[in-house]
Amino acid sequence: MMPTVSQVVAAAASRSDLPSGTVTFVFTDIEGSTKLAHALGTDRWREVLVQHAAAVRSAALKHEGVEVRTEGDAFFLAFRTARQAVAAAADAQRALAAQNWPHGVTVRVRIGMHTGESARPGDMESGADYVGYDVHQAARVSSAAHGGQVIISSATRTLLGDQLPPGVTLLDLGEHRLKDIRRAERLFQLVIEGVPNDFPALRTL
């Protein structure tokens, strides 16, 4: 049975754990997940998803990230500070790279983030899910990345300042045009010690 509108609103209102004000929005997903799911079949693909989700959630929790929602193999996370988001992304990539994946598969996760002002439908104190341009921009940053890569926007870079976590540096990738984003965006890649850091050109316009 589909939930009623009132049930959906009530569920959203219970999300008082979501950060407010200036928030770093993070999107992640598995590169080539459709092909992997088809090749593995339902049961074996579920094993991969469980292992992948555990690694992402553990890294987010360690740095006080909040899981906004998931859809399939994709995560939408929110962090109160840019440094927390960057540290969580770096830890997630290290954990994912160290996994002994079942059935001989290789799993690569792309991660993108952007920092902006939080906005929710209705009363900001209700805890309803985020909406707005900054959320869409974070999703577009993520979609430009390759599996294993972490890309951050210039807004996140500015707020991060020199507070990089240990073993992480930044690579300036220059300005890029992202789909449906009005202006060119300067993007940066996290260079994470202990994991591969060479990738093709970004998937941008």
Side-chain angles (χ1 to χ4, degrees):
M1 179 184 297
M2 291 292 291
T4 66
V5 172
S6 60
Q7 287 172 326
V8 171
V9 171
S14 69
R15 295 304 308 272
S16 59
D17 58 329
L18 295 179
S20 59
T22 301
V23 177
T24 299
F25 304 108
V26 178
F27 285 88
T28 86
D29 72 310
I30 297 175
E31 184 178 55
S33 57
T34 301
K35 287 184 178 180
L36 273 175
H38 179 72
L40 290 173
T42 301
D43 290 340
R44 294 194 296 174
W45 175 236
R46 185 178 291 112
E47 290 180 51
V48 171
L49 285 180
V50 168
Q51 193 168 330
H52 152 260
V56 173
R57 285 184 172 126
S58 176
L61 182 63
K62 178 181 176 182
H63 298 283
E64 301 181 13
V66 177
E67 185 177 319
V68 182
R69 62 177 180 266
T70 60
E71 184 174 341
D73 60 282
F75 278 82
F76 176 20
L77 307 167
F79 293 81
R80 289 172 176 80
T81 71
R83 189 188 189 284
Q84 288 174 319
V86 165
D91 282 353
Q93 291 293 21
R94 291 190 184 104
L96 291 162
Q99 295 292 311
N100 182 18
W101 296 102
H103 315 297
V105 301
T106 299
V107 175
R108 296 186 177 91
V109 175
R110 56 186 174 187
I111 302 176
M113 66 185 75
H114 170 67
T115 305
E117 294 301 311
S118 65
R120 303 176 197 154
D123 179 6
M124 288 295 292
E125 296 302 319
S126 70
D129 199 349
Y130 299 110
V131 297
Y133 187 77
D134 288 315
V135 174
H136 289 275
Q137 188 160 344
R140 292 306 187 195
V141 171
S142 178
S143 68
H146 296 274
Q149 191 174 30
V150 181
I151 301 298
I152 72 174
S153 71
S154 58
T156 302
R157 169 68 186 96
T158 298
L159 286 176
L160 183 63
D162 59 0
Q163 300 179 54
L164 284 165
V168 177
T169 58
L170 288 174
L171 176 64
D172 188 341
L173 299 178
E175 291 192 344
H176 293 264
R177 292 300 304 272
L178 301 172
K179 183 180 178 181
D180 300 328
I181 301 301
R182 293 188 296 266
R183 293 175 295 183
E185 174 73 35
R186 196 169 197 88
L187 299 175
F188 300 81
Q189 176 190 314
L190 298 192
V191 178
I192 306 165
E193 185 179 325
V195 300
N197 287 292
D198 294 326
F199 302 97
L202 294 179
R203 295 186 174 103
T204 61
L205 302 179

